[in-house]
Amino acid sequence: MPLEVNKHVQRIRRYQPFDVDTSEMIYELQADWTQSLFPVVTLDYLLNAIERPTTKTIVLTGDAGHGKTSLCASILAERIDAETITPDVRKAVFRELSEAGDASRPIGRTRSGRPLYILRDLSELSLQAGAHKLVELLDPPDEGVAIICANEGQLRKCVAEDDNHNRGGTGRAKILVETLTGGIVRGQVSDPDGTVIVINLNYQSVAADSSNGGLIPWVLKQWTTTQWSRWKPCETCDARNVCPILANRNELSDPTRGPQRRAAIRDVFAAAERTGAVVTTRQALSVTSYMLTGGLSCENVHAKYQRSHSNRFWQAPHLYHQALFGDGLTQQQRRLVPAFFALRKLDPGKVSRRQVDDRLDPDTAGDFPPADASSYLQKVRTNRDVQKQAEQLRGLYTFLRRADFFNSDDNTDRFARMGLQAGDDFVLVQDKNRDPADTRVRDRFLKGLEAVQGIHRAGSNPDFFILDPAFFSHRARAAVISRRVPSKGVEVVDQVTQWQEEGRTGVTPEMQNAVEWLNRAIYIRIPAVAPDQDAVSVEADLLRFELLTRWAAGLRSEVQHEAEIRGLSGSLAELADSSNKDDEIQVLVGDVMRKLMIDVGNKIRSVRA
């Protein structure tokens, strides 16, 4: 049998920016129009939005790679009277978008007959031209609808340019930034009149908390499915028994274990997004492509096969559970896909857990074990031998931990295996059916915020101490307590609930329906000093919540996390009570509360509280 080159593998590799051929990575450079598109919920939202009589201007903003151009093309394709959207239809749409993507003329029509204008990329215009175009598209000709694709930075610069009346600005474009800000603060994507819609695609998730699991599981299923003939050439290839690309595909498409492996990959991406990383669609496709191919091409595999038909020790670094973390990439290559940095922080191979490591067996490393998997048994004679053995052991256990993470049937401790002890509690906050009497998350959150101020009290306490801001950065043995807040009035909520509380309108935020949604932050809401003031909210992504949890458990790391402490202290300063004029001062001496009372003759008396 011959050595076969699988064209499907070639197509997948085109999503990698460090590969010579990266045509599939950017929509405008796409070469294969037969590839199906992920049915993103944003498309349905936009198709509905352009049919609203009040809608005039829609802005799609966010980092490059979220699929803004692809969304515009999909809208146009959906508006073509055809039973199915064929590759020829998609090609025609792309040509039209290339020719009329400057919004100079209508590029299509809505179902109700309104002309549709699309500005493909605001960054292609100068600031002055961009500002003029934004104002023009606030009232599209012939009562049409305009869709503007804009990087957030460029959008803000153009709006600022229009706000400069000395340079002929009108000030009208600021409604776009106001609506964008409203989306960040309240989760709403439209202005009060419903004429302007701004969708911030930085809230788009590649591992959405939905029934389909988001882009990652969908792509993995599309690329590894056994239902099509895409992998047929591999069945007759001489190198099939030593090919890590085919092994990855078989592992992820396995009817029994494949779903749980794909789910574990999705969980890693979801955890990365919850730690604050913005993973664009383009980055997700690049990582998934590299993970599935292991960074290899069919030609690379053939060359290794021809050198040795039976060698099974070179494949290990190219298996999907190793390639996902980009060990084989240089620092410069990883910078092309920043998602690798976020994923490497959550590498289960670097987390030592006794209950996991005790069951790992180097002799069961699979068909493609790490090279010299038994070298840890060799005798050592010199310090260099000791260092070499330690490095080999570290590499071996990194491999085994990663493989076990994706093969394990038990998904209850995935956060812990990624080094995130507080992950399960973070997700629990989003559960609407959780027991309201369970205050563990709230109490740990408050205890962590006390630790930020240098307060370390034992046990579970019914109140929360806020120090005088003067003692935040210079914590002495004794510190003045500015305020005591009963824990009963404090609540921990998810992002959507926080938006509802901030909006105070009772209206459900639209953002969660306008994008592939994943709750990435939780908030602790602490009552303000005055009863008529809004509660003060402290935001925490998964990484910050993990840090607060560890501080609550006794971790002392003021120097390493000085910037984080400074940010949290700024939020807590809003809770301090500066209006207290009583002759009684509460002081925390070590862990003991004392009262300082001013007596007759200005004598200060101290009593234990």
Side-chain angles (χ1 to χ4, degrees):
M1 288 185 287
L3 294 172
E4 301 284 354
V5 174
N6 190 332
K7 291 184 178 179
H8 180 51
V9 173
Q10 291 179 321
R11 280 194 296 268
I12 293 174
R13 278 177 54 81
R14 289 201 285 262
Y15 287 97
Q16 299 173 29
F18 20 81
D19 189 51
V20 176
D21 184 5
T22 61
S23 62
E24 299 299 334
M25 200 181 144
I26 301 174
Y27 182 85
E28 290 86 339
L29 302 178
Q30 190 167 321
D32 184 8
W33 297 98
T34 62
Q35 297 263 39
S36 56
L37 297 178
F38 175 61
V40 61
V41 300
T42 308
L43 176 60
D44 293 331
Y45 185 89
L46 289 172
L47 290 171
N48 178 269
I50 62 176
E51 299 299 338
R52 299 175 193 167
T54 57
T55 303
K56 291 185 178 181
T57 309
I58 299 174
V59 177
L60 300 177
T61 186
D63 294 348
H66 275 302
K68 297 185 285 291
T69 307
S70 175
L71 279 169
C72 292
S74 297
I75 291 172
L76 294 176
E78 290 286 343
R79 288 294 169 263
I80 293 177
D81 292 327
E83 292 185 5
T84 58
I85 302 174
T86 63
D88 289 336
V89 169
R90 293 174 61 192
K91 281 184 183 178
V93 165
F94 172 70
R95 284 196 299 270
E96 188 72 12
L97 193 58
S98 301
E99 295 169 1
D102 59 355
S104 58
R105 61 179 175 84
I107 199 172
R109 290 190 175 274
T110 66
R111 295 288 185 214
S112 57
R114 298 171 67 189
L116 191 61
Y117 299 83
I118 293 180
L119 181 60
R120 192 180 59 210
D121 191 354
L122 183 64
S123 298
E124 294 178 352
L125 305 177
S126 65
L127 292 183
Q128 194 168 9
H132 178 75
K133 199 69 176 178
L134 289 179
V135 174
E136 178 187 322
L137 294 179
L138 286 174
D139 287 303
D142 302 323
E143 298 183 348
V145 180
I147 300 177
I148 302 168
C149 299
N151 172 278
E152 183 178 337
Q154 183 71 3
L155 176 66
R156 290 183 181 276
K157 288 178 183 177
C158 290
V159 170
E161 181 71 17
D162 178 63
D163 209 29
N164 188 343
H165 296 282
N166 295 329
R167 297 171 62 90
T170 65
R172 293 184 58 209
K174 65 183 178 183
I175 184 64
L176 301 176
V177 170
E178 290 172 355
T179 307
L180 173 64
T181 304
I184 296 171
V185 176
R186 297 182 301 278
Q188 298 298 335
V189 299
S190 60
D191 71 332
D193 298 330
T195 58
V196 172
I197 294 175
V198 180
I199 299 178
N200 188 348
L201 291 176
N202 283 336
Y203 283 107
Q204 185 99 292
S205 171
V206 299
D209 192 9
S210 58
S211 57
N212 62 11
L215 174 71
I216 293 298
W218 183 86
V219 168
L220 287 172
K221 197 170 182 180
Q222 290 284 314
W223 285 355
T224 64
T225 181
T226 58
Q227 295 178 353
W228 299 329
S229 59
R230 291 175 172 177
W231 294 92
K232 196 77 173 175
C234 296
E235 297 175 4
T236 57
C237 180
D238 282 350
R240 64 187 182 279
N241 292 328
V242 296
C243 178
I245 303 175
L246 183 60
N248 288 338
R249 179 261 180 173
N250 292 339
E251 290 263 295
L252 294 172
S253 63
D254 181 77
T256 305
R257 308 293 293 276
Q260 76 185 40
R261 290 167 181 154
R262 296 195 299 268
I265 294 171
R266 181 259 170 197
D267 286 348
V268 174
F269 274 92
E273 290 186 321
R274 284 175 168 139
T275 59
V278 176
V279 181
T280 66
T281 300
R282 187 179 302 167
Q283 290 180 33
L285 291 172
S286 296
V287 173
T288 308
S289 167
Y290 183 81
M291 176 191 70
L292 185 57
T293 64
L296 298 171
S297 64
C298 291
E299 291 82 359
N300 296 145
V301 175
H302 297 165
K304 290 182 179 292
Y305 171 76
Q306 288 171 335
R307 283 197 289 271
S308 174
H309 291 187
S310 59
N311 187 348
R312 290 175 173 266
F313 291 110
W314 60 267
Q315 295 91 341
H318 307 289
L319 298 179
Y320 76 94
H321 44 75
Q322 307 300 311
L324 177 60
F325 302 99
D327 291 347
L329 298 173
T330 64
Q331 196 80 345
Q332 185 176 2
Q333 287 175 320
R334 289 182 201 134
R335 288 195 185 98
L336 297 174
V337 187
F340 275 114
F341 291 108
L343 293 171
R344 287 172 68 81
K345 291 178 182 177
L346 306 173
D347 183 0
K350 297 179 181 178
V351 180
S352 176
R353 302 188 78 221
R354 185 70 178 267
Q355 58 267 49
V356 174
D357 291 354
D358 280 354
R359 70 167 182 258
L360 299 179
D361 185 357
D363 295 329
T364 58
D367 294 335
F368 302 127
D372 302 322
S374 61
S375 61
Y376 68 99
L377 297 173
Q378 297 175 1
K379 293 182 179 180
V380 295
R381 295 180 175 84
T382 65
N383 285 338
R384 187 174 181 181
D385 289 342
V386 172
Q387 292 174 353
K388 184 178 179 181
Q389 185 188 63
E391 188 63 33
Q392 289 172 334
L393 263 176
R394 189 179 300 112
L396 173 62
Y397 272 85
T398 295
F399 177 93
L400 294 174
R401 287 167 184 163
R402 288 172 175 173
D404 184 73
F405 177 85
F406 294 101
N407 287 321
S408 176
D409 294 327
D410 183 11
N411 61 359
T412 57
D413 67 340
R414 280 181 182 163
F415 280 114
R417 296 191 64 173
M418 289 185 277
L420 299 168
Q421 302 293 337
D424 291 322
D425 286 336
F426 184 91
V427 175
L428 180 64
V429 173
Q430 305 162 30
D431 184 3
K432 303 299 181 185
N433 298 319
R434 70 181 188 274
D435 182 4
D438 187 356
T439 61
R440 290 174 301 162
V441 177
R442 183 203 67 188
D443 293 345
R444 200 177 305 134
F445 209 140
L446 289 175
K447 200 163 188 174
L449 290 176
E450 284 191 340
V452 167
Q453 305 171 79
I455 303 172
H456 300 277
R457 294 191 288 168
S460 179
N461 299 286
D463 53 4
F464 170 56
F465 287 172
I466 302 167
L467 297 186
D468 189 290
F471 292 87
F472 280 175
S473 58
H474 300 286
R475 175 76 162 93
R477 183 170 177 269
V480 175
I481 294 177
S482 174
R483 187 172 167 222
R484 295 175 69 174
V485 181
S487 300
K488 186 178 180 180
V490 178
E491 59 177 344
V492 179
V493 298
D494 63 3
Q495 177 75 79
V496 176
T497 306
Q498 168 67 12
W499 277 337
Q500 289 174 322
E501 295 288 345
E502 288 294 311
R504 289 179 294 179
T505 60
V507 179
T508 303
E510 296 176 89
M511 188 68 75
Q512 62 174 335
N513 300 318
V515 298
E516 293 290 324
W517 179 251
L518 179 73
N519 261 306
R520 306 188 202 189
I522 61 175
Y523 294 77
I524 189 163
R525 295 178 58 82
I526 304 172
V529 177
D532 58 338
Q533 292 179 336
D534 293 336
V536 174
S537 300
V538 179
E539 180 183 1
D541 61 20
L542 180 52
L543 216 53
R544 175 180 273 191
F545 184 64
E546 177 74 21
L547 191 55
L548 285 167
T549 299
R550 298 199 181 194
W551 277 335
L555 175 69
R556 308 288 181 97
S557 57
E558 289 83 356
V559 176
Q560 295 93 325
H561 300 98
E562 184 179 353
E564 192 74 31
I565 291 172
R566 195 160 47 242
L568 288 166
S569 297
S571 300
L572 294 174
E574 299 181 42
L575 292 163
D577 185 2
S578 59
S579 62
N580 189 0
K581 296 181 174 58
D582 294 341
D583 289 338
E584 181 182 296
I585 301 173
Q586 292 183 321
V587 179
L588 190 66
V589 182
D591 292 333
V592 179
M593 276 284 298
R594 302 192 72 87
K595 289 182 182 180
L596 298 181
M597 305 182 68
I598 302 176
D599 203 346
V600 178
N602 290 330
K603 292 180 180 179
I604 298 178
R605 298 184 182 274
S606 172
V607 295
R608 187 162 181 162

